[in-house]
Amino acid sequence: MASLPPGNMGFPLIGETLQLLFDPNFAIKRFQKYGPIFKTRILGKRAVFMSGPEAAEFILSSHMDCFTWRDGWPETFKVLLGQSLFVQEGDEHRRNRKLMMPAFHGPALARYVATMTTITESYLKRWEEKREFIWYSEFKQLTFDIASQIFLGSHPGEDTARLSQLFTTLTNGLFGLGLRKAIAARNEILDHLTQVIRDRQTRPTNDALSLLIQARDENGDSLSLEEIRAQAMLLLFAGHETTTAMLTWICLELARHPEMLERARIEQSRLLQQTITPMQTGRTQNIIPTSVSPTRPCLTLEQLGNMPYLEQILSETERLHPPVAGGFRGAVKPFEFRGYQIPAGWLVQYSILQTQRSPEVYTHPEQFDPDRFSPERQESKQTPFSLIGFGGGPRICLGIAFAKLEMKVVMAYLLRDYVWELLPAQSLEPVIVPTRRPKDGLKVRFGRRPI
Ligand code: HEM
């Protein structure tokens, strides 16, 4: 008979929860000791951690019927994020995901670029004035401004600042820090959303919320007020912490690798040389208007689709520094993996961090090497489910295209006109909760590039 995998269940009840929360190498150490699957006890539950492309494919695709998302999240997520995509399954999940999809792909995405650009430019100006700052906190505000303006049509200023504060309280609650305050914050956010939705119902605009309100399924039914509020709150939550962490890592790695920074700058300069500005031609089609510096050459949609080296940098950052270190599921059926038997009711985690460091897939996996994604090498292409920073299978991240576009817009502007250097006396070691990021948030000195 198949046995349970190796591992240590830790102390009664609490198991190894503290080690998981405070040791960024919790899973890596145990994978090294036990191999690609080990057992433990966390958050009061018996659990297995699994790593490698084979495990990821098993959980995300071939055996996904053995698992639910709902049972993988702690209670706090169900309480605070309500009936949103994260805790939905089966037909209900499929229907809602389909209704939400148009707001994050195709023509809708192209419309968002102008907002992303305008907000990015206002932050560039602010950073130039500040000169020294912690980039993680700045990116967090930037990405929240973008998300709240695009998802809810909020205007930067008091409303966004208040919402951002409420979200910080909510996120703390999700990770077990101050549930009572987090519930009060959630209620305030829901009240705000109710008002905005009522307003959009009478006066539709171009934001994602209006698209959600107008969306209809095959039967002609729309999402209820309750559903729209829950999904909008999830999008704000899922749509900014992650992008923040990844932008921070990209800027850190480029500061550590000047030769890569230079190559990425050259790619941007080439694109700029081909730029046709509206002033030169009188044409405005596909040119993204900028509000802050009308003299700066505009970023065009064509250019955004033509940045292969920047895309390699994004993929390599996703691989080496995934903001989400792994995804949790609940096993609803017993299952067997690699000769081990796991009972129903256990918690299961597929490790993104460890899978993306598989030496069978990636040469020198500990090194930051964007060229592993070059057309000649394409290391991840030979093995399905080896690059899974956005998850994979039918429930791959809904915001993947949105996030990549946003990061490209921000990075293109940074590469074109700015320099940054790391300040001394800071820890760049990763912490993992709520998203994986450098401990001190990346302190930098920032300025305009000399011409
Ligand atoms: C760099 C940025 C991002 C990263 C690294 C990221 C990562 C992920 C990962 C790993 C998952 C799957 C988790 C699992 O399998 O348990 C996921 C799911 C999801 N993400 Fe993202 N995400 C990012 C940005 C966004 C953005 C901008 C949005 C919203 C616009 C978003 C919305 C979602 C949603 C709704 C799901 C659940 C999809 C479903 O259950 O069908 N994410 N994301």
Side-chain angles (χ1 to χ4, degrees), residues 58 63 66-67 331-337 340-346:
F58 187 94
H63 291 70
C66 296
F67 309 103
V332 284
K333 296 180 191 170
F335 69 94
E336 200 175 312
F337 183 76
Y340 295 114
Q341 180 76 34
I342 319 309
W346 280 45

Side-chain angles (χ1 to χ4, degrees), residues 60 69 73 85-86 88 93 97 100 104 151 234-236 238-240 242-244 246 318 322-324 326-329 350 352 388-392 394-400 402-404 406-407:
L60 294 170
W69 272 56
W73 294 106
L85 221 52
F86 266 22
Q88 293 174 327
H93 170 266
R97 187 172 162 116
M100 292 164 77
F104 297 100
F151 301 162
L234 168 71
L235 291 174
L236 278 181
H240 81 290
T242 42
T243 323
T244 297
M246 217 166 121
E318 170 192 344
V324 181
F328 283 101
R329 300 288 184 275
Y350 73 94
I352 295 176
I388 48 170
F390 290 91
R395 291 191 74 154
I396 193 167
C397 175
L398 182 77
I400 179 171
F402 180 94
K404 288 187 176 175
E406 178 179 353
M407 291 186 289

Side-chain angles (χ1 to χ4, degrees), residues 128-191:
E128 252 185 86
E129 282 157 16
K130 274 191 157 181
R131 290 191 56 78
E132 286 184 10
F133 48 83
I134 298 178
W135 228 337
Y136 182 82
S137 326
E138 291 292 322
F139 278 143
K140 201 162 149 185
Q141 287 182 43
L142 164 69
T143 55
F144 191 80
D145 277 3
I146 290 179
S148 55
Q149 196 160 329
I150 289 178
F151 301 162
L152 307 184
S154 311
H155 294 292
E158 262 177 45
D159 246 13
T160 320
R162 186 175 70 94
L163 269 181
S164 165
Q165 193 49 50
L166 291 170
F167 256 88
T168 305
T169 312
L170 183 93
T171 309
N172 289 341
L174 289 171
F175 294 93
L177 308 169
L179 187 59
R180 194 130 28 107
K181 278 191 187 160
I183 291 177
R186 176 205 61 187
N187 293 345
E188 261 193 71
I189 299 170
L190 288 177
D191 285 347

